[in-house]
Amino acid sequence: MAEKTINPVLKQVLELGPTIAFFAIYMWIKDEKYLIGGTSYSGFIVAAVVFVPILLASIAALWMLTGKVSRMQVFTAVVVIFFGGLTAWFNDASFFKMKTTIVYGCFALLLGIGLLRGQSWLEYVMGEILPMQREGWMILTRRLVLMFAALAVANEVIWRTQSDTLWVTLETFAFPVALFAFLILQITALGPYLINEEKPDATAADQPGKTD
């Protein structure tokens, strides 16, 4: 299926909506207890389980509207389903919280493997939308490996030592904002490596040839 374009605002809503929905649902029912099948589940567990179909519906909508699903979206969906299932099965919120560590850790590992092979797999994913010299991609990839690793460690420390509410808030807002800000700063700093497609000088081209 050929990729189609959709309204950028709608695309952002579909991509960010599930996480915001999880935050809203959790804040709404965080103090509640639910008896399901003879087992008592906390509001966190219920919100985590409800998050799974919301995310899958969002990815399905993106696929139907654009004709394409990114590798990152597929990977995220698999991780969320797996850890969401463990969370419900064992009635333990720890599995859902570890999901973030696994995602960031896997990104760091995959990019790191590419670097060991002398390649920037980040360029393979983003090269078409961000033309940049190979050296620039290698620098950005090395820095992003460190950033993903730092986020994975931060997530482990936070969920193990802080309240559920603080973790949910940081997971929803702080981590994505930190990663976005990091990327913007890095792309700005790597400006000299960016490739600008120069257009021919139309004025010069239109001038008639000179005669002696």
Side-chain angles (χ1 to χ4, degrees):
M1 184 182 294
E3 184 176 0
K4 296 174 282 189
T5 58
I6 63 172
N7 186 294
V9 175
L10 176 59
K11 187 172 185 291
Q12 287 297 309
V13 169
L14 290 173
E15 290 178 344
L16 302 178
T19 302
I20 302 298
F22 167 69
F23 174 81
I25 293 170
Y26 167 76
M27 295 301 291
W28 180 29
I29 65 174
K30 64 178 181 178
D31 297 323
E32 302 295 331
K33 295 288 184 181
Y34 296 88
L35 189 63
I36 304 174
T39 302
S40 178
Y41 294 93
S42 68
F44 185 102
I45 300 292
V46 173
V49 172
V50 171
F51 171 71
V52 176
I54 292 177
L55 177 65
L56 295 180
S58 173
I59 293 175
L62 280 170
W63 177 72
M64 288 188 292
L65 291 171
T66 66
K68 180 180 179 181
V69 176
S70 70
R71 296 179 181 88
M72 185 178 298
Q73 289 170 327
V74 172
F75 172 73
T76 301
V78 171
V79 171
V80 167
I81 292 171
F82 179 72
F83 283 94
L86 290 178
T87 299
W89 182 263
F90 291 103
N91 196 13
D92 187 346
S94 300
F95 291 105
F96 193 77
K97 296 173 184 177
M98 284 189 287
K99 162 189 63 68
T100 302
T101 302
I102 299 299
V103 170
Y104 287 139
C106 284
F107 287 163
L109 178 62
L110 290 173
L111 292 179
I113 291 173
L115 289 174
L116 291 176
R117 294 168 58 90
Q119 301 171 331
S120 170
W121 291 350
L122 186 65
E123 180 182 6
Y124 172 70
V125 176
M126 300 177 58
E128 291 185 359
I129 61 175
L130 184 65
M132 185 162 57
Q133 298 173 19
R134 182 178 183 277
E135 185 179 355
W137 279 113
M138 296 299 287
I139 294 172
L140 179 59
T141 303
R142 285 194 292 269
R143 293 176 181 177
L144 199 54
V145 165
L146 296 176
M147 182 60 176
F148 280 136
L151 289 174
V153 172
N155 183 69
E156 280 297 296
V157 172
I158 292 168
W159 83 257
R160 292 178 185 275
T161 62
Q162 304 301 316
S163 67
D164 288 351
T165 299
L166 179 59
W167 178 83
V168 170
T169 302
L170 294 177
E171 156 80 1
T172 304
F173 301 106
F175 286 174
V177 169
L179 183 58
F180 179 77
F182 176 83
L183 286 172
I184 294 298
L185 288 174
Q186 294 306 313
I187 292 173
T188 301
L190 293 171
Y193 296 98
L194 296 178
I195 299 174
N196 296 316
E197 296 182 359
E198 296 184 359
K199 297 180 180 180
D201 189 341
T203 303
D206 291 340
Q207 289 181 347
K210 294 183 179 180
T211 57
D212 293 333

